[in-house]
Amino acid sequence: MPTFDWPLGELRRYQPELTHEPDFDLFWQDTLAAARECTDAPSATPIDAGVRAFATYDVTFPGWAGEPVKGWLVLPSGGSARWCVVEYQGYGVGRGRVHDHLLYAACGVAQFVVDARGHSRGDTGDRSAESSGPHEPGFMTQGAHDPRAHYMRRLITDAVRGLDAARSLVSASRFAVAGPSQGGGQALAVAALGDGVAAVLPDVPFLCDYRRGADVSDRVPYLEIAQFLRKRPELVDDTFRTLSYFDGMNFASRATAPSLFSVALMDPIVPPSTVFAAYNHYAGPKDIRVYPFNEHEGGGSLHAMQRLEFLRKLAEF
Amino acid sequence: MPTFDWPLGELRRYQPELTHEPDFDLFWQDTLAAARECTDAPSATPIDAGVRAFATYDVTFPGWAGEPVKGWLVLPSGGSARWCVVEYQGYGVGRGRVHDHLLYAACGVAQFVVDARGHSRGDTGDRSAESSGPHEPGFMTQGAHDPRAHYMRRLITDAVRGLDAARSLVSASRFAVAGPSQGGGQALAVAALGDGVAAVLPDVPFLCDYRRGADVSDRVPYLEIAQFLRKRPELVDDTFRTLSYFDGMNFASRATAPSLFSVALMDPIVPPSTVFAAYNHYAGPKDIRVYPFNEHEGGGSLHAMQRLEFLRKLAEF
Amino acid sequence: MPTFDWPLGELRRYQPELTHEPDFDLFWQDTLAAARECTDAPSATPIDAGVRAFATYDVTFPGWAGEPVKGWLVLPSGGSARWCVVEYQGYGVGRGRVHDHLLYAACGVAQFVVDARGHSRGDTGDRSAESSGPHEPGFMTQGAHDPRAHYMRRLITDAVRGLDAARSLVSASRFAVAGPSQGGGQALAVAALGDGVAAVLPDVPFLCDYRRGADVSDRVPYLEIAQFLRKRPELVDDTFRTLSYFDGMNFASRATAPSLFSVALMDPIVPPSTVFAAYNHYAGPKDIRVYPFNEHEGGGSLHAMQRLEFLRKLAEF
Amino acid sequence: MPTFDWPLGELRRYQPELTHEPDFDLFWQDTLAAARECTDAPSATPIDAGVRAFATYDVTFPGWAGEPVKGWLVLPSGGSARWCVVEYQGYGVGRGRVHDHLLYAACGVAQFVVDARGHSRGDTGDRSAESSGPHEPGFMTQGAHDPRAHYMRRLITDAVRGLDAARSLVSASRFAVAGPSQGGGQALAVAALGDGVAAVLPDVPFLCDYRRGADVSDRVPYLEIAQFLRKRPELVDDTFRTLSYFDGMNFASRATAPSLFSVALMDPIVPPSTVFAAYNHYAGPKDIRVYPFNEHEGGGSLHAMQRLEFLRKLAEF
Amino acid sequence: MPTFDWPLGELRRYQPELTHEPDFDLFWQDTLAAARECTDAPSATPIDAGVRAFATYDVTFPGWAGEPVKGWLVLPSGGSARWCVVEYQGYGVGRGRVHDHLLYAACGVAQFVVDARGHSRGDTGDRSAESSGPHEPGFMTQGAHDPRAHYMRRLITDAVRGLDAARSLVSASRFAVAGPSQGGGQALAVAALGDGVAAVLPDVPFLCDYRRGADVSDRVPYLEIAQFLRKRPELVDDTFRTLSYFDGMNFASRATAPSLFSVALMDPIVPPSTVFAAYNHYAGPKDIRVYPFNEHEGGGSLHAMQRLEFLRKLAEF
Amino acid sequence: MPTFDWPLGELRRYQPELTHEPDFDLFWQDTLAAARECTDAPSATPIDAGVRAFATYDVTFPGWAGEPVKGWLVLPSGGSARWCVVEYQGYGVGRGRVHDHLLYAACGVAQFVVDARGHSRGDTGDRSAESSGPHEPGFMTQGAHDPRAHYMRRLITDAVRGLDAARSLVSASRFAVAGPSQGGGQALAVAALGDGVAAVLPDVPFLCDYRRGADVSDRVPYLEIAQFLRKRPELVDDTFRTLSYFDGMNFASRATAPSLFSVALMDPIVPPSTVFAAYNHYAGPKDIRVYPFNEHEGGGSLHAMQRLEFLRKLAEF
């Protein structure tokens, strides 16, 4: 996949109009207030999955509608930590296995991995009473007719409540939100909606500037939108109106914590222009690492070190 | 797509072992009994969509859990008809628009088009209380952990109840069940589970011999199964056990009405071996039209005439 | 296929120079005069293909060089009609089967389906004395050396004579020309060259702005031009000069009847810029429906209703 | 393209039933007798295309129906030659430019290059009175309804008449027929139908065992057959019956001159089984060079030397 | 990528003939003896890459011709370990960054990561004092003319010397060799050639049964062989004779340590038949985990746990 | 592959900044001086490969580090020639077989074919006494860490020394340098670095404006650069700095002989903008033939004649 999006100079100047409806903030106030009516405490059960160097826990916390959402907590040896990173997951992924998440703890940082409801590598069903269990997509257009019914409302609510859970479970002095792709989009949402966010680390964030994504990406998940609208051309406007409630650029304009973005200029799944749409609107301190020849893997393990350095500069650990 | 499956001679002999679990029949008895607890009558509202030659109705009938399922009824001029064809729809499709369904009525046959819950071209949400509305896939692995939770349980229940609705709404002397692809798989299920089926017309039927489909097809929807199991290799056996409750070859072995199948030998979406798995197990009178160079479009408008001739031979109209 | 052509704003402004040679009009006057030397009347034979709701006829009329061209006539019940739509067919298609054409009659409009000589789904040979019969392409470069020898000269002449035939066979008060893709290109030609056209309905019209099409489309049929010129690079100018005699944008600049175009912004077969090249040059009243996420299927059955509404606004039926 | 056809052992044993109709030989007797009614002598005009080492001529000879067919004659310095190779051309090619054909003359062998009517790199129109000129395909299904109307009847007749022309123009002691792909298929036809053939050199010959080719190749030109029959499934049997008159395996069973075939086991355009269908039926002395990792380029310039050695063994030059 | 190789039952029975030349063992004795002439001790320098939970070292050891080869050593806290896993890397990879390798140490196992000379993610250069001969881009055919000049001779020698280095640097009671893809092929070679191997863990091992790989894989790196032989068809036999010196199935027949293989049935890069060629010839205790729907990622993090359990069963840790 | 690069008007104006480092000229002075320390005379051995019309020789000459490089010399009959064309070869090619090179001699021009070290169709091995460093399979990034270690340093030195060899072996009055793709890039380098160049004929020249090539081409060989930098994102700047020493646009700005370029506007392997980068910087008399619909084959045999005409205009032969 060669460069298919605009040149870097244009990307840096790209500032699409924000798309939030007048009731955007109210929508989220109501949504989160309703979710927080469930006052169940998160539970964290120690597990032995063979990982001996760190304390590992299987977590359950109340997410959207109080439904149980899963997570992994991985604590570095030595108990408390300066930082706790709350990490969200990519589309089609989920929390995976606990031994997939060792880097932060190995470097002395606590990590709380939040599952993605319904996604294949997770353990959290969507709408638990009649849980669909993990399954293969598509989630992009589930509830396209109404923001209140859309899947992303539930996913983002889980993300905010995941931060709440981390803050009640982990004795860290600072909390960061992070994640690749869909997880990066969730991190941006939590940066706007959550409490006590000290750093935001969105990598090749998905869920930003959906219209541009659907216009120029020929890969799922953005392609799911185009495929749906191809069959329902009369729903174009309604669908993007619904998606505006979950758009990372709208969230970015409401976020204030220091942030480190990453973007890959040959990313066919999350086109770089959609990342810059959010980055250029981000309202807090910000930096972005540009990987000119990478695709959706972004900066990979090189960027993993960049994230840790960024946290260290904010508060040594 | 050239020929990729077995040669025709081998296809005609392919007889995989049936996969139904001991409680297969009980599962469906219970499922249908529960659905029939809802005794709401179907409603049929005349509509004016510009089609003047036929009487057209927007139908709502109770499907799985009594949830409202949509349909179109198209009646030939002259009122009653010798035949009513209950037609199910392909994956990702749905009932579409009423003017997409004119052929049967133009030839003097009543047609009842049953919507496919959740699919993009339809108007029926899946689980209506919090309806997801129509959206892009994937449905193949929704509920892979338990046959009671699987999407196909709801879809097939809708199909049986759609036949019930047609029989209460249409004054025809005979009812056929029909459909392309996923609709063909539903028709096979109704042939086994429904009441008063006089003919079965599955075209390039999907939902048969899932394991073979997942092994040899590189296209969605069968690919959704492989993509899911790629991420969850520990769930291979459980997933196919769940799918066995919805497998057209298991239904075919329980069906007795006269049937006309069609199969396309270059079909990459529904591999011909999966069609023959159901056809070779079909327990009633049967015939199959083989289209050697066609892909998933099957016999197209040529086969449309074959279906009408087949009905005419069973009972002139 | 994501958006690959210009953004909509630029498309609306795209106005390539017309390419007609000085003898363009003379060429067509001579061509049509020669064709009309054949004064054989069209014949229409009633057929019974199972379609009982409408009167259906197998038509033969004299086309280019008086050669017999086939068509289907489908009349709504009740005899005369307010409108008759003369419909041309897509590349590689042809008149198909009569039961493929039911929508107009079901809505009370007469339809005359004109076959496409040589194309696979038709029944009209190209140059009948030694007819090649229907076959698979390519037609785009047949006769590239001379407009008088080019296939499109014959195809367009058939189209004009098809309108002549419809007018002599059908007692309708108004005649529209219509068609998808290649059929849309023919409709534009007839709009410029034919007599008594009351409406023009080109859907994702092919045969417009060939140079742009050959430059940016990677699919047949435009690709046939690039593939030919790749082998014969010395013939670039001659070939496009020949094609200019059959270019929909040159015809559009000579047409005056009210028109409704459609265009799909992700159409890889007929790039949207080539459609706007014709639309922007269209000399009569005009409107265009833009389908932003569709490919070459265009607006599908949604747009089918738009066409009927457009006719109804011009003259109620 | 990895190996997709049978393993070499099976290929060597593959012996499909011959498909010639009872009137196969009569058909060709009549066809050639009619063509030979034209007794015009071939003309050979010396040209100066910059090639100074050899005498080069632009040839015109009477082909099917006496129509003018073009060719190049390239004579080694020194006048007469021991061998003259009559070479036919690939699908979509044609005689090209004279300086594309230097190898045989450089090695002391006369070469007569026969054009392929209608193909893009040639200069011979198909049906010259209203010549279509060279153009891009497809030729495979032109006249599928009747062997007398099929394009291949004309192409093969040209091939036989090309040998006649060579024999009247060139003072060589022996004449070989040769060609790659479609040219190899023509060479096999001339080996059966022509007079005075001393050697046959078919490279990756196309036009053999059409049914197998259409079943297993996903590339043009065999794909043209599948694409046609996909649209016209009712014509499967008729089409292959027509093609049987032009099938290299039927010709091979009637040929007696010494032959050297070549085949490439990863050839997606001419599947190796179709080559072995002809080779295994070849009735004269025969040998075949197998290139296990090559695609349709076959043995390339390595095999070019094999051909010359083969001729040298038959008669030193 | 659907199933393209043989069914599992056939795979389990596949037993191609071994291909080692008579001097195979001598070749490797000489090669290793020459390499061991360099008696430089490996060096291990502690590094601070941010990983605090484990002791991490940058290692340099003498490989082929005594050239410096790089590695990472990662030791679990607590000093000595029951097991040390020597891990080799995939084609195009290399040792990467030290924080890419945390799992073994987190579970209490020492890990020595051996770099792959020349590969992109490594830090070890390759040199070819002997001529590489003509070859296709990539490593597979570098030195195809002579086993002594072939790249794989150097890579495998590095692997054996890497085990030597680990044994001198790490105080573990048992040493296992392991690796994915190319690393798995190296592990098999070291299982045959190295000293003191207590377990062998080849995952989707590459470098086995090259002929089958080149015949059926359409992806690099096996494709490099086909691409080379396509250009040099005269070198087919010589090339596979050279490769036989580096074939995992020849090594497997000489290995005796307990082994756990993994294979993925939809792996297009390392076809499952090539894995079974080595597995079925493996001479020691053996087991294999089959992942039916996975591609080249194999069993991923699920299989990572299987490897640790396998080691634990051999010797608790 | 449709047009993907800029429109022709923009291409003609594209003038990227030159990228040569301050020591660029010194680097090459030193490199060539070192190579010329080897004073071995080239050897030319007459061969009999069946080509009787011309004198053919197998040549060995000292290239980089005095290593033996192969070539073919083909002399027209009649001894001395007005022109000798020194021709370099494409990536993955090499000198091939002598009978692949007949056109120049047939037209009265001597040709010296210089092999490409290491490439598959050649007979010249490559050696890298200096470490290649980590690199991606292929030649583009071999030695990316240091211009002195890079493969292209050796390849270009061979090219200059090939001209030296031709001048000592052939008694022609003028010497031209020529070649397609990689050979065209070498010709540009020799035009800047070599002695006594009377004409330069680069066809679709590769090795120009590497950054643009890596940005927009999705095919090897430029893709090798992107694939390498995807794995080593920290090396982007260093890698392009190394490549600047071998960039055809830097060489073009130092060349003065009359030149004829060719470019193909749909070339996905050598994007047209990279050709114009060199052409627009070319410092001598220049012309360029633009092939609008061709891909990497460029102008093919049509352009072969253009090259000969260009030479003839400079000095009649």
Side-chain angles (χ1 to χ4, degrees), chain A residues 91-153:
Chain A
Y91 193 94
V93 184
R95 69 169 182 169
R97 292 183 178 83
V98 72
H99 59 271
D100 298 335
H101 308 280
L102 302 176
L103 179 60
Y104 283 111
C107 296
V109 169
Q111 181 179 16
F112 180 51
V113 179
V114 178
D115 206 0
R117 55 169 61 220
H119 287 274
S120 291
R121 284 210 168 99
D123 298 301
T124 303
D126 188 20
R127 286 173 298 178
S128 55
E130 47 199 66
S131 169
S132 61
H135 63 89
E136 273 294 295
F139 299 93
M140 300 302 289
T141 59
Q142 275 195 20
H145 59 299
D146 184 346
R148 280 166 307 181
H150 197 282
Y151 168 82
M152 288 299 164
R153 186 185 182 214

Side-chain angles (χ1 to χ4, degrees), chain C residues 19-21 24 28 139-147 150-153 156 207-211 214 222 224-226 228-229 235-251, chain F residues 293:
Chain C
T19 56
H20 47 80
E21 298 286 324
F24 179 90
W28 280 110
F139 299 94
M140 299 302 290
T141 59
Q142 276 195 19
H145 59 299
D146 185 346
H150 197 282
Y151 168 83
M152 289 299 163
R153 185 186 183 214
I156 289 173
L207 311 183
C208 302
D209 199 0
Y210 292 88
R211 180 65 193 246
Y222 277 127
E224 291 176 6
I225 302 172
F228 176 65
L229 294 175
L235 299 181
V236 169
D237 291 344
D238 284 357
T239 296
F240 286 108
R241 183 186 164 281
T242 291
L243 290 170
S244 73
Y245 287 84
F246 317 110
D247 194 317
M249 71 182 183
N250 293 330
F251 290 123
Chain F
F293 292 97

Side-chain angles (χ1 to χ4, degrees), chain D:
Chain D
M1 172 60 58
T3 306
F4 64 96
D5 210 330
W6 298 312
L8 186 55
E10 283 183 48
L11 290 172
R12 290 196 181 276
R13 287 190 302 274
Y14 176 55
Q15 199 105 10
E17 261 190 80
L18 294 177
T19 56
H20 45 80
E21 299 285 324
D23 69 342
F24 179 89
D25 295 302
L26 197 61
F27 172 89
W28 280 110
Q29 276 173 36
D30 291 355
T31 296
L32 293 175
R36 284 178 172 138
E37 280 173 14
C38 172
T39 57
D40 297 353
S43 72
T45 312
I47 51 172
D48 176 11
V51 176
R52 302 183 174 180
F54 317 120
T56 55
Y57 303 86
D58 183 6
V59 176
T60 307
F61 69 90
W64 184 80
E67 293 174 3
V69 177
K70 304 298 293 179
W72 300 121
L73 183 58
V74 189
L75 297 182
S77 60
S80 78
R82 179 71 73 138
W83 279 97
C84 173
V85 172
V86 180
E87 193 185 66
Y88 308 104
Q89 304 305 314
Y91 193 94
V93 184
R95 70 170 181 169
R97 293 183 177 83
V98 72
H99 57 273
D100 299 333
H101 307 280
L102 301 175
L103 179 60
Y104 282 110
C107 296
V109 169
Q111 181 179 16
F112 181 51
V113 179
V114 179
D115 207 359
R117 58 168 60 219
H119 286 275
S120 292
R121 284 212 167 98
D123 299 302
T124 303
D126 187 20
R127 286 172 300 176
S128 55
E130 47 201 63
S131 170
S132 61
H135 62 90
E136 272 295 292
F139 299 94
M140 300 301 290
T141 59
Q142 277 195 19
H145 60 299
D146 185 346
R148 281 166 306 183
H150 197 282
Y151 168 82
M152 288 298 163
R153 185 186 184 213
R154 303 192 292 276
L155 186 77
I156 288 173
T157 301
D158 291 351
V160 175
R161 296 293 285 146
L163 173 61
D164 293 349
R167 286 165 46 111
S168 83
L169 289 170
V170 184
S171 64
S173 30
R174 287 161 188 260
F175 288 83
V177 289
S181 196
Q182 178 182 270
Q186 288 177 281
L188 283 168
V190 179
L193 303 173
D195 297 329
V197 174
V200 185
L201 301 162
D203 290 321
V204 292
F206 182 50
L207 312 182
C208 302
D209 199 0
Y210 291 88
R211 179 65 192 245
R212 172 92 188 148
D215 275 350
V216 304
S217 173
D218 62 350
R219 306 282 178 89
V220 288
Y222 278 127
L223 182 59
E224 291 177 5
I225 302 173
Q227 286 175 327
F228 176 64
L229 294 175
R230 193 162 296 159
K231 293 178 179 173
R232 300 303 292 260
E234 71 277 21
L235 299 180
V236 170
D237 291 344
D238 284 358
T239 296
F240 286 109
R241 184 186 163 281
T242 291
L243 290 170
S244 73
Y245 287 84
F246 317 110
D247 194 317
M249 71 181 183
N250 293 329
F251 290 122
S253 71
R254 286 154 168 80
T256 58
S259 67
L260 178 69
F261 285 67
S262 66
V263 64
L265 298 189
M266 292 184 172
D267 186 343
I269 293 172
V270 170
S273 49
T274 66
V275 175
F276 276 100
Y279 178 73
N280 291 338
H281 276 299
Y282 195 84
K286 59 189 172 188
D287 195 3
I288 186 164
R289 298 293 146 79
V290 177
Y291 295 98
F293 293 97
N294 284 91
E295 300 192 343
H296 195 50
E297 73 285 355
S301 74
L302 172 64
H303 192 71
M305 282 294 114
Q306 308 280 311
R307 282 195 301 267
L308 284 160
E309 274 176 39
F310 180 80
L311 295 181
R312 195 173 281 121
K313 275 184 194 153
L314 290 175
E316 184 59 49
F317 58 94

Side-chain angles (χ1 to χ4, degrees), chain E residues 9-39:
Chain E
E10 282 183 49
L11 290 172
R12 290 195 181 277
R13 288 189 302 273
Y14 175 55
Q15 198 107 11
E17 262 191 80
L18 294 177
T19 56
H20 45 80
E21 298 285 325
D23 69 342
F24 179 89
D25 295 303
L26 196 61
F27 172 88
W28 280 109
Q29 276 173 35
D30 290 356
T31 296
L32 293 175
R36 285 177 172 138
E37 280 171 15
C38 172
T39 56

